[in-house]
Every structure is written in C-alpha cells, then in structure tokens.
Amino acid sequence: MKILVCISHVPDTTSKINFTDNDAEFDKNGVQFVINPYDEFCLTRAMWFKEKQGATVTVVNVGGAETEPTLRKALAIGADDAIRINVAATDGFLVAKELAAVVKAGSYDLVLAGKESADYNGQMVPGMLAAFVDYNFINGCVDLEIDGTSVAAKREIDGGNETVSTSLPLVIGGQKGIVEEKDLRIPNMRGIMMARKKPMQVVEGTGVVAATNNISFEKLAPKGAVKLIAADNLDALIDLLHNEAKVI
Amino acid sequence: MSVLVFADSTDGKFKKTSFEVVSYGKKVAEQVASNLVVLTINANDASELYKYGAAKVIAITNDALLTFNAKEYAAVIVAIAQKENATIVVMDSSINGLYVSPMVAVSLDAGYASNTVALPSSTDPFTVKRKAFSNKAFSNTIISSEKKVIALAKNSFGIHENPVAGILENFDVQVAASGVVSEKVERVTGKVTIADADTVVSAGRGMKGPENWGMIEELASVLGAATACSKPVSDLGWRPHGEHVGQTGKPVASNLYIAIGISGAIQHLAGINASKVKVVINSDPEAPFFKAADYGVVGDAFEVIPTLIEKLKAFKEA
Ligand SMILES: Cc1cc2nc3c(=O)[nH]c(=O)nc-3n(C[C@H](O)[C@H](O)[C@H](O)COP(=O)(O)OP(=O)(O)OC[C@H]3O[C@@H](n4cnc5c(N)ncnc54)[C@H](O)[C@@H]3O)c2cc1C
Ligand SMILES: Nc1ncnc2c1ncn2[C@@H]1O[C@H](COP(=O)(O)O)[C@@H](O)[C@H]1O
C-alpha cells in the first residue's frame, strides 16, 4: 500500500497571532511552526499501517523552503520520504489541486490529511483533493481499518458516529480517534539522525491559480472586563444572564 | 442567475442553522440582485422556509437520499445549482455541510470560503469575512472565481424573519451510488449535541474525577444544555472524546458557554471564542479564563454548582 500523508505547517497552538504590513500578512516573527495537530494523528496511523501491514509512507507539503523542518520532523517520526511542492499555500483550492497532481503521479492508494489546518482552518483540502482525483472520501474519520482494498471506518457525526465501508483508493480527513492521543509519536534521536538522510524531493507547482485570496486580517475585538459575581449571590448571576445577556 | 441555499434537515426536520443559512442567503441574493432558491432533501414541510425569505423552494423527496451521503448530496446540490444557474451556493457549517461543500466547490469550479461570519463586505471584488487562526482572528477573503461556495459559521448571522409568499417545486433526481456506504449510525438519543446546543456546560480538571460529573449533567439538564469538557478530561477518559472542545476538539459557537473548573488555556479558548456569552466558575481568581469571560464566579465548584442548580430550578419554575 502506498500512503501519502499531507502535512500542513502551522503556528504552534500557543502562538500569539499578530499581523504586519497593515494587517495584510501574518506576523511569523517569534512564531514556532509545527506539524498540524490533526496531521500528526494521521501520520501516526500511517506508521501503524507501515509497521503492521507493510506500507510505504510519503509526506507532502505545499509550501516554501521554510516548511522543510516540519517535513523533516515527519521523516523523523518515521515517514520514508518527503515531497515539497514549491508553491505558496495561499488557498485551499490551489493546495488541493497541486496535491492532486502528486497523488496522480504517485498512484497513492491512501491519502491521509487532517480534518482542518490550525492556521486558516479551511476544512477544504481533503474534500477538494478527493474530488480532483475522484477517490472515495471520508471526512472527520475517527477509526480506520484496511484489509486488502476494503476499508471499514468510522466518522464523527453530530452526537455520535457513523460506520461506513468503502474501498481504496481513498482520501481521509482525519482527527483524534484515528489514533489516540497517548499513541502519538515523538521523534527520537535515532529517528532524527535517520531523517537527515531520507529523500526530500522538491517539485515545482503546476501553475494553479488560486480561487480565493486573503487580503487582510483582523484581530478579535478586545473584550470588556469580566463582571464578577460573589459565590454567595448567585441570584445576581441568574438575573444578569436573564435580563442583561438574555441567554436564559 | 440565482443564489442557492441548501437547507439541511434531520429526519425531515430543519435544523436551526437551516433557518440561519436561508436568512443569510436572502440578504446575499439582495446584495447581488439575484433570486434566492432554497434546496431541501427529504424535508417534511419545506414551506417553513418561506418565513425566512425563501421565495422559491426546490424540494427533493427521494428514498435513496434518506441516509446522508456526502458524494450523493454533493451531486444533487451541483445538479440544482446548474439547473438554477446559481452563481453563489450557501451551505451551513455542520459536520455534514463541511463534508459536502468542498466537493460541491470542485464540481462547480468555484472558489470556496468556509467559516464565513458576515455578509459580503463588497460584491465586486466579492469579499467575505471569515474566522481564521482557530478563532484568534478574522480574515477578509476575496473569492475571485465566477462561481462561489460559502459555508456560513453557525450563530454568526442569526435567524431573521422575512416572510414571502413562496413557491414550492417538487423535483426528482437520479442518484448515482457513491463508493462510501453507510453501515450503521450510532447516536446518543435524548441528549442535546454540542453542535445544536444554545447552551453548553463544560467542565475541566477542576472537577477532580469522573464521579463528580453528576452535578454537571444536572446543571446541563436544567438549562437544556449540552455537556462538554476540556481536553485533559477526555484524554484521562473521564468523559467521552466527543465532548472534548477547543482548538483540537469540537468548536463551540453557542449563545451561552459555562466553563467550570477549566483554567482557560489558549487552546481551549480558541475553540470556544465564537460563543456569545461566557460564564466562568473557578476557585482560582487568577485563572486566565476570567480574562476571556463575560461573567465570573470565584468559588469552589462543589459548592457553587449545587446552589446554582437549585436557584435555576426555582427560576425556571417561577
Ligand atoms: C497541541 C495542543 C492542543 C490542545 N488542544 C486543546 C483543546 O482543544 N481543548 C482543551 O481544552 N485543551 C487543549 N489543550 C490543553 C490545554 O493547553 C490545557 O492543558 C487544558 O485546556 C487544561 O484543561 P483544564 O482547564 O481542564 O485543566 P487545568 O489547567 O488543570 O485547570 C483546572 C482548573 O480548575 C480549577 N479548579 C480546581 N479546583 C476547583 C474547584 N473545586 N472549583 C472550581 N475550579 C477549580 C483550577 O483553578 C484550574 O483553573 C491543548 C494542548 C496542546 C499542547
Ligand atoms: N499547504 C499544505 N500542504 C500539504 N497539506 C496541506 C496543506 N494545507 C492543508 N493541507 C492538508 O489538508 C488538511 C486540511 O487543511 P485545510 O483544508 O487547510 O483546513 C490539513 O490537515 C493537511 O493534511
């Protein structure tokens, strides 16, 4: 089985979000970038398939050279090789279409992507990619088993989950559950050493034109001060929620 | 030319977000001087949507579509978008809506803006405001393609009545089977889901252990609320994973969010920021959550919650 894991390179979850150039650009100053948390779950699941069922695992990112340390980290976790598509990832449509070219060229059986990326939260790449390559697609996947080309999976739905069956080739939008938190892998020394020698292929894009463009950003409006209510005066809280906030 | 809204339903009944997307679609149609067309699939009473401005409703009733299937639903939406010459398609941001929308966008060769929170600030260039960076900021996004797909973030626009004398067109479609087959749907019944809830009662590690969740559930039941929890609580197995909210869990965009014994870490706040009113109950006055809250009670949850439950019961009865 040939697996491709799509890796989005995103600000660490604790990052303070600021903008420069008149709020037109995200301020990367002092921001630490990491593998998108959802993609980490997917990568760990891919490693499981590799070790238990025999699979090759390629990681891919659409982005500039600055994303290579993130791809190296994925290699240190255990992926066999990496591809960087040398295009600025400005829009989900563009990213998905560039990824589609790599998926087709490599005839991957299984493409694992995260449900959403922690930067622009597009929640669009996996579904668009599946549509471009005409693979089966399961979004919000929380359980994935593969036997030959048969697939049994679960996806999250409002208030529960749905069991589905399908077949390879397949694109997954994965989230926590596809593996558990405790099973996430952290690169060890040996992995980091080995990652340095693993192949990192840089391919040029196919010239896709973005369909959307973020022209400016806004921070959240500053919040007013909290109204504190004494613990022995909960009637006041109920009164405020009813008469002032009008939510109960 | 038209604006097409897909108004989703569960077991024939519209969700609140369906009324919200129709309200939104009505305004967008006015802005771009187009007609609003609303699509329903297996809804019991599609005429309910007239109240929100749906002048034309296309109602599809088809047994093959009784169980949601993303590819099949996408194909139906695309077929109707083409039939109605829609230039803008509006979807909700439910789990199913977000599953279908990217597929619709590719089929229509449309640019797609998810997480949209407001009406277009300009229609030329077509510009929408969206949540970004896990609710820590907004982006203003131009959609430059001729056709556009917009997924409206829940509770961002609200439900607005705008009654019209609508017309209903029953329509039939051929559904090609998708390669993904639903085998079983497991849903907790009789419980409000986080996605649907107006109020969410959420608790964290401050509750000390799973045996103490009785009062959290009781508070939720008095308020008709869904229950949620912080990430460590679900990681520890105190609560099911489906209750984990935050940046890496479920997003919450309720009207009221009550956080009990949750410190207010940045990753937690990222997922619940979109909620309108936030109440924090925490024994530590220095807990960061107080900075993000509208109302706060500094106190021991084990004393505050039982009293609050009693007082709310009395309030509800009065
Ligand atoms: C990559 C990453 C992603 C993450 N994603 C998420 C996410 O999606 N969601 C999320 O929630 N977290 C997330 N986290 C974890 C987050 O950083 C915090 O660790 C977590 O939110 C803390 O949970 P908590 O507030 O329940 O626990 P704690 O931080 O331990 O806080 C417990 C609180 O309870 C209060 N308390 C104690 N006793 C009482 C009492 N008797 N009465 C009232 N209050 C009391 C304490 O004062 C304290 O404020 C993530 C972390 C990382 C690294
Ligand atoms: N620039 C990118 N390069 C590779 N994969 C990406 C990129 N952007 C998004 N993805 C993948 O698509 C998923 C969903 O991202 P998004 O649609 O941007 O929310 C991520 O979790 C990644 O797996």
Side-chain angles (χ1 to χ4, degrees), chain B residues 205 208 230-232 244-245 247-248 261 263 267-268 282 300-301:
Chain B
R205 208 146 50 178
K208 317 282 189 256
S230 66
K231 176 167 168 300
H244 158 202
V245 298
Q247 179 158 354
T248 53
S263 55
Q267 297 98 346
H268 184 86
N282 196 306
D300 181 351

Side-chain angles (χ1 to χ4, degrees), chain A residues 102-177:
Chain A
V102 164
V103 171
K104 279 187 194 145
S107 313
Y108 292 93
D109 305 293
L110 175 65
V111 181
L112 293 164
K115 181 185 79 159
E116 74 175 82
S117 55
D119 46 7
Y120 302 102
N121 314 109
Q123 311 196 46
M124 42 175 117
V125 170
M128 287 188 155
L129 173 57
F132 282 130
V133 296
D134 199 23
Y135 280 18
N136 289 319
F137 172 48
I138 301 170
N139 203 23
C141 183
V142 292
D143 190 19
L144 178 67
E145 302 294 338
I146 297 173
D147 181 8
T149 59
S150 307
V151 178
K154 284 195 175 138
R155 73 169 184 110
E156 184 168 52
I157 55 174
D158 286 346
N161 56 54
E162 178 184 31
T163 306
V164 297
S165 62
T166 185
S167 58
L168 300 179
L170 173 70
V171 176
I172 291 288
Q175 63 185 65
K176 181 166 106 173

